[in-house]
Amino acid sequence: MTEIRQPTPRRGTNLPRMGDFNLTVILEAIRRSTLGLSRVELAQIVGLSPQTISNISRRLLDQQLIVEAGKEGSGPGKPRTILRLNPAGMYAVGVHLDPAVITFVVLDLLGDVVRHSRMATPGGDPAGVITSIAGQIKVLIEESGVDESKIAGLGVAVPGPIDLDEGSVVEPPLLTRWNRVRIREALSEATGLETLVDKDVTSAAVAETWAGGASGAGSFVFMYMGTGIGCGIVLNDEVVRGTSGNAGEIGHIVVEPGGPLCDCGLHGCVKSSCIPQVLVAEAEAAGVLDGHREGADGPEVQERYAELCDKADAGDQKAIAILDKSATLVARAVSVVTNTLDVERVVFGGPFWARMSPYFMERVPALLDKNNAARMIHDLEVVGTGVGEDVGAIGAACLVLEHMLAPRAQRLLLEG
Amino acid sequence: MTEIRQPTPRRGTNLPRMGDFNLTVILEAIRRSTLGLSRVELAQIVGLSPQTISNISRRLLDQQLIVEAGKEGSGPGKPRTILRLNPAGMYAVGVHLDPAVITFVVLDLLGDVVRHSRMATPGGDPAGVITSIAGQIKVLIEESGVDESKIAGLGVAVPGPIDLDEGSVVEPPLLTRWNRVRIREALSEATGLETLVDKDVTSAAVAETWAGGASGAGSFVFMYMGTGIGCGIVLNDEVVRGTSGNAGEIGHIVVEPGGPLCDCGLHGCVKSSCIPQVLVAEAEAAGVLDGHREGADGPEVQERYAELCDKADAGDQKAIAILDKSATLVARAVSVVTNTLDVERVVFGGPFWARMSPYFMERVPALLDKNNAARMIHDLEVVGTGVGEDVGAIGAACLVLEHMLAPRAQRLLLEG
DNA sequence: CGAGGGGCATCAGTGACTGAGATCCGGCAG
DNA sequence: CTGCCGGATCTCAGTCACTGATGCCCCTCG
């Protein structure tokens, strides 16, 4: 128990901040519409006067963030000029540093992938790895052919725990030697790009808000199904990071009575009962998968997990049982989170999601509904993300877009 | 799985909203300072120019929300005029509808209780109960001697689940017959006061932000230890309510492997393992408490629980063991929440807290620290609330103050 | 081909914050 | 006791974002 910190009162706001904020509000409205919006529609939606909309539209057009895209005349009168996002108005680079593989993407303003690449995570010391990453980023940008002045920055998604203030990685379980490595500073210097660092699951949630379409709006939990299982949290369109950027640690929620012993001393935590590595081991023990390969790391687990899913897809009852059980267990953990936060939606995603999706979608929605404390008041949607396997890297790039262009309340406040 | 809702884009902001918001920012800064602040200090803290501070101070003085309270001259130069909250500038009425007892308070602007009263919760139909409540409110206001024009409104804290949009109570487990009762409408009509309804645990968290001093700032979880156990969540000084106002349902977090069977089908949930009723039953079974009284309702449980604590205070090892175990179990649930949200503080409170506090404060901090996923990055404070047993009712009144005077981001946005 | 209607731009007008300078207030040196 | 000085606060324009009124523009329809 430490001394209570001196509270930092919320700071005021002023005219320029207000203007910038309204600009982002309008941009978000355009972004969230599939087909673009006219100025009049925007005025209705955001509640500002048409004049203000016109002025801000002009600023956005000047900045080339939006373009006028044709007219739409339904009845009499002057047809509406449709405003649409200009995909080429801004780009961002995203890197996902995973214990097994590093993924790189260049994203345009729409959140579409312009170019991507991967490399196996080198095992050397962090400094060397960071140099490799910086090199690969340069190559990727060149290959993409994107005007460098249009690149707003670099986002980096890393496994937790992290220190958001420092921009550092703090001893993640599967990345030995990465002890308090200030990756933000290092990559910022090496690439010359404005750099943001965040946790992988948080990045995935941001990806959903930016590139995920309708399911990325409002309040939701993004369940990231990777080598580990974590969640990203978005409440009222704003991502929740927590005091130090470590929100979303759900590995020690107990989901399986009498399950395997976890390093925390309890049995049947998410971390010890439903992560892919455990399921693979279980399948090996049950004879569903042949051979026992110990010390399986990232890519190997993914392969073996795919084998397990293949068997299940082919009708192997034991394989199906393992996947079904994992769905049940994960649903219990999700219920804990959704009941704590009363969100309106759960979005599943991550590198393992595509293969497990049929088994999960069949069971999870009903289980969540059954355990939903607010069942009488509202439904709880369950959807799979539209953002694919690279959600970590895409989310990393979205961190940059979100930071620059999302209407966060924080943007209004004077900094101190 | 339902159709995805049409996203409701964030609405813009304008000049008057900005002015109102800055007013609340300044008020909050003054409120959070113990001894009052001068205009110059305010300018530094909130980041606005001294002129703006002066203008807003004048508005606040005109509204009698603050007063000039003496001068403070340390060196040469004109001494600073200290601005302080005017306790009599605004009042709010709070009601906590608990299954066992209804508590009423009148609060001043500082969050201090001006007057309070209680009544046993009548068993009749809701309409009758609501009439009684309205009557008691009238009496309380008269007795308090407060100028009615200074009463900003009425806050009502109720057990969940609730429907925030409707302002209704939706079938709480211990209040039979309260099925979708629109208590907000009913009490608003009956009393003529602006009325807000919220969940008891959320109200308790709001009480902490308003009347709890330093521990009510920043991001924290308020653990409400009542007949049931729930939590209120505050992130970055703003309370989290969830889609329908039902955030904070943690009753089904599994904390005791092989514990008692819960109605959800699992064993050892918070709800089935650590609520007072269960502990009392356990104590009876272990012979710590004599006699077995079944169907114990609210007040009786509290009495019996107090007896259990008396025994423990007197050194009864079995009683101590029961309380210690409950602390361990609750700590597990708290860890789940704090790791999910990465808050900086846990605040314990509620009607049962005072008695359990020594047993909890001895064990919980260490247990939380051990399980803190962000342990390497920051500490997790554990404190008991300064707001006493009436935290529910006080929080209810604070809902009104918070709604009118807290610098919520929501205040900036145009409504639609 | 003209009327009509809706979209959008222009032009002041309002109001909140800002910067410079004036004013006020108390302590301190002479 | 008096004048000087430093700091806090106020006065007075100035800037800028949003708003309301007005008018131009462009398309459809009769």
Side-chain angles (χ1 to χ4, degrees):
Chain A
M1 193 162 55
T2 59
E3 192 192 354
I4 287 174
R5 282 197 218 174
Q6 192 58 16
T8 55
R10 186 182 293 273
R11 302 180 77 84
T13 187
N14 60 14
L15 235 33
R17 305 237 153 215
M18 187 171 90
D20 287 352
F21 178 81
N22 280 344
L23 184 136
T24 63
V25 169
I26 291 179
L27 196 68
E28 160 140 317
I30 296 176
R31 192 163 68 72
R32 290 219 177 271
S33 73
T34 351
L35 303 168
L37 290 170
S38 69
R39 291 173 176 78
V40 216
E41 290 169 314
L42 279 168
Q44 282 183 356
I45 293 173
V46 306
L48 294 165
S49 68
Q51 297 72 4
T52 302
I53 303 292
S54 267
N55 294 338
I56 295 182
S57 302
R58 197 170 310 125
R59 281 175 63 191
L60 287 168
L61 286 165
D62 287 348
Q63 293 179 43
Q64 304 190 328
L65 293 175
I66 61 173
V67 287
E68 297 195 334
K71 317 236 167 191
E72 182 189 81
S74 49
K78 178 172 172 176
R80 305 171 164 190
T81 315
I82 300 299
L83 301 174
R84 209 170 294 174
L85 234 49
N86 175 19
M90 188 181 276
Y91 296 89
V93 181
V95 176
H96 182 191
L97 169 62
D98 181 83
V101 60
I102 305 181
T103 314
F104 302 80
V105 297
V106 175
L107 231 58
D108 68 18
L109 189 52
L110 285 173
D112 289 336
V113 176
V114 174
R115 182 123 200 141
H116 90 138
S117 72
R118 285 166 189 244
M119 59 190 258
T121 306
D125 77 312
V129 177
I130 287 174
T131 311
S132 309
I133 291 176
Q136 183 58 37
I137 289 172
K138 279 217 178 77
V139 172
L140 192 76
I141 292 175
E142 273 172 33
E143 288 176 350
S144 72
V146 166
D147 178 2
E148 286 207 35
S149 69
K150 291 278 189 187
I151 295 179
L154 167 66
V156 186
V158 299
I162 65 170
D163 186 323
L164 204 57
D165 292 336
E166 279 187 4
S168 63
V169 182
V170 184
E171 307 193 15
L174 295 173
L175 281 174
T176 44
R177 299 219 239 168
W178 287 72
N179 305 332
R180 287 216 170 263
V181 177
R182 295 191 182 230
I183 190 171
R184 183 175 63 208
E185 259 175 47
L187 277 175
S188 175
E189 278 174 30
T191 62
L193 294 168
E194 186 94 21
T195 305
L196 295 171
V197 170
D198 218 323
K199 232 173 57 160
D200 44 12
V201 295
T202 305
S203 306
V206 173
E208 191 67 20
T209 67
W210 201 270
S215 59
S219 299
F220 65 93
V221 170
F222 189 104
M223 290 297 302
Y224 184 85
M225 313 302 284
T227 315
I229 293 180
C231 74
I233 300 166
V234 175
L235 301 179
N236 295 322
D237 292 306
E238 293 198 31
V239 67
V240 171
R241 296 197 156 87
T243 304
S244 57
N246 286 294
E249 288 295 335
I250 57 172
H252 291 295
I253 297 178
V254 174
V255 292
E256 186 184 17
L261 181 65
C262 180
D263 56 26
C264 71
L266 292 177
H267 289 261
C269 294
V270 167
K271 209 177 166 179
S272 61
S273 278
C274 20
I275 62 173
Q277 198 176 344
V278 172
L279 300 184
V280 166
E282 214 173 303
E284 284 166 352
V288 177
L289 294 181
D290 53 5
H292 172 65
R293 314 187 201 167
E294 60 183 295
D297 55 359
E300 187 154 0
V301 169
Q302 191 151 4
E303 249 172 58
R304 300 285 282 169
Y305 187 82
E307 276 179 54
L308 172 60
C309 292
D310 286 341
K311 298 256 179 177
D313 290 352
D316 182 323
Q317 289 303 318
K318 282 188 196 164
I320 293 175
I322 289 173
L323 293 177
D324 280 352
K325 192 182 85 176
S326 77
T328 305
L329 301 185
V330 168
R332 287 187 189 147
V334 175
S335 274
V336 167
V337 179
T338 55
N339 283 332
T340 302
L341 296 172
D342 189 22
V343 294
E344 60 199 72
R345 190 180 314 118
V346 178
V347 181
F348 279 93
F352 288 75
W353 170 246
R355 292 310 310 267
M356 59 177 65
S357 142
Y359 302 93
F360 274 57
M361 289 311 281
E362 194 174 319
R363 316 191 123 229
V364 173
L367 290 167
L368 290 186
D369 184 60
K370 175 169 161 288
N371 291 325
N372 180 8
R375 188 174 58 255
M376 312 285 302
I377 296 97
H378 67 95
D379 287 341
L380 185 55
E381 286 172 30
V382 181
V383 299
T385 178
V387 187
E389 204 182 338
D390 291 338
V391 63
I394 292 173
C398 290
L399 290 175
V400 176
L401 300 176
E402 190 247 7
H403 182 76
M404 300 202 65
L405 302 175
R408 299 169 293 126
Q410 189 61 29
R411 179 182 304 281
L412 278 160
L413 308 184
L414 300 158
E415 62 259 354
Chain B
M1 195 163 55
T2 58
E3 190 192 355
I4 287 173
R5 283 198 218 173
Q6 192 58 16
T8 53
R10 188 183 292 274
R11 303 180 78 85
T13 186
N14 60 13
L15 235 33
R17 304 234 154 218
M18 187 171 90
D20 288 351
F21 178 81
N22 280 344
L23 184 134
T24 63
V25 169
I26 291 179
L27 197 67
E28 160 141 317
I30 296 176
R31 192 163 68 72
R32 290 218 176 272
S33 73
T34 349
L35 303 169
L37 290 170
S38 68
R39 291 173 175 78
V40 217
E41 289 168 315
L42 279 168
Q44 281 182 357
I45 293 173
V46 307
L48 293 166
S49 68
Q51 298 70 3
T52 302
I53 303 291
S54 265
N55 294 338
I56 295 183
S57 302
R58 198 168 310 126
R59 281 175 63 192
L60 287 168
L61 287 165
D62 287 347
Q63 294 178 41
Q64 305 190 327
L65 293 175
I66 61 173
V67 287
E68 297 195 335
K71 318 233 166 196
E72 181 188 81
S74 49
K78 178 172 173 177
R80 305 172 165 189
T81 315
I82 300 299
L83 302 174
R84 210 170 294 172
L85 234 49
N86 174 20
M90 188 181 276
Y91 296 90
V93 181
V95 176
H96 182 191
L97 171 62
D98 182 83
V101 60
I102 305 181
T103 313
F104 302 80
V105 297
V106 175
L107 231 59
D108 67 18
L109 189 53
L110 284 173
D112 290 335
V113 176
V114 175
R115 182 122 201 140
H116 90 139
S117 72
R118 287 168 188 240
M119 59 190 259
T121 307
D125 76 311
V129 177
I130 287 174
T131 309
S132 309
I133 292 176
Q136 182 59 37
I137 289 172
K138 279 219 178 79
V139 172
L140 193 75
I141 292 176
E142 270 172 37
E143 288 176 349
S144 73
V146 166
D147 177 2
E148 286 208 37
S149 69
K150 292 277 189 188
I151 295 179
L154 166 66
V156 186
V158 298
I162 65 170
D163 187 322
L164 204 55
D165 293 334
E166 279 187 3
S168 62
V169 182
V170 184
E171 305 192 17
L174 295 173
L175 281 173
T176 42
R177 299 219 239 169
W178 287 72
N179 305 332
R180 287 212 172 264
V181 177
R182 295 191 182 231
I183 190 171
R184 183 175 63 209
E185 259 174 46
L187 277 175
S188 174
E189 277 173 30
T191 62
L193 294 167
E194 186 95 22
T195 305
L196 294 172
V197 171
D198 217 323
K199 233 173 56 161
D200 44 13
V201 294
T202 305
S203 305
V206 172
E208 191 68 19
T209 67
W210 200 271
S215 59
S219 300
F220 65 92
V221 171
F222 189 105
M223 289 298 301
Y224 184 87
M225 312 303 281
T227 314
I229 293 179
C231 73
I233 300 167
V234 174
L235 302 178
N236 294 321
D237 292 307
E238 292 198 30
V239 65
V240 171
R241 298 197 156 86
T243 304
S244 58
N246 286 293
E249 288 294 336
I250 58 172
H252 291 293
I253 297 179
V254 174
V255 292
E256 187 184 19
L261 180 64
C262 179
D263 56 26
C264 73
L266 292 177
H267 289 259
C269 295
V270 166
K271 209 176 164 178
S272 60
S273 279
C274 19
I275 62 173
Q277 198 177 345
V278 173
L279 301 185
V280 167
E282 214 173 303
E284 284 166 353
V288 177
L289 294 181
D290 53 5
H292 171 65
R293 314 189 201 165
E294 61 183 294
D297 55 359
E300 186 155 1
V301 168
Q302 191 151 2
E303 248 172 61
R304 301 285 281 167
Y305 187 82
E307 276 180 53
L308 173 60
C309 293
D310 287 341
K311 299 255 176 176
D313 290 352
D316 181 324
Q317 289 302 318
K318 282 188 196 164
I320 294 175
I322 288 173
L323 293 177
D324 280 352
K325 193 182 84 175
S326 78
T328 305
L329 301 185
V330 168
R332 286 186 189 148
V334 176
S335 273
V336 167
V337 179
T338 55
N339 283 332
T340 303
L341 296 172
D342 189 22
V343 293
E344 60 199 72
R345 189 179 316 117
V346 178
V347 181
F348 279 92
F352 287 76
W353 171 246
R355 292 310 310 267
M356 59 177 66
S357 143
Y359 302 93
F360 273 57
M361 289 310 282
E362 192 174 323
R363 316 192 122 229
V364 173
L367 290 167
L368 291 186
D369 183 60
K370 174 168 162 288
N371 292 326
N372 180 8
R375 188 175 57 254
M376 312 285 301
I377 297 97
H378 66 95
D379 287 341
L380 186 55
E381 286 172 30
V382 181
V383 299
T385 180
V387 187
E389 205 183 338
D390 291 338
V391 63
I394 293 173
C398 289
L399 291 174
V400 176
L401 300 176
E402 190 247 6
H403 182 76
M404 299 202 66
L405 302 175
R408 298 168 294 127
Q410 189 61 30
R411 180 182 303 281
L412 279 159
L413 308 184
L414 299 154
E415 64 259 354

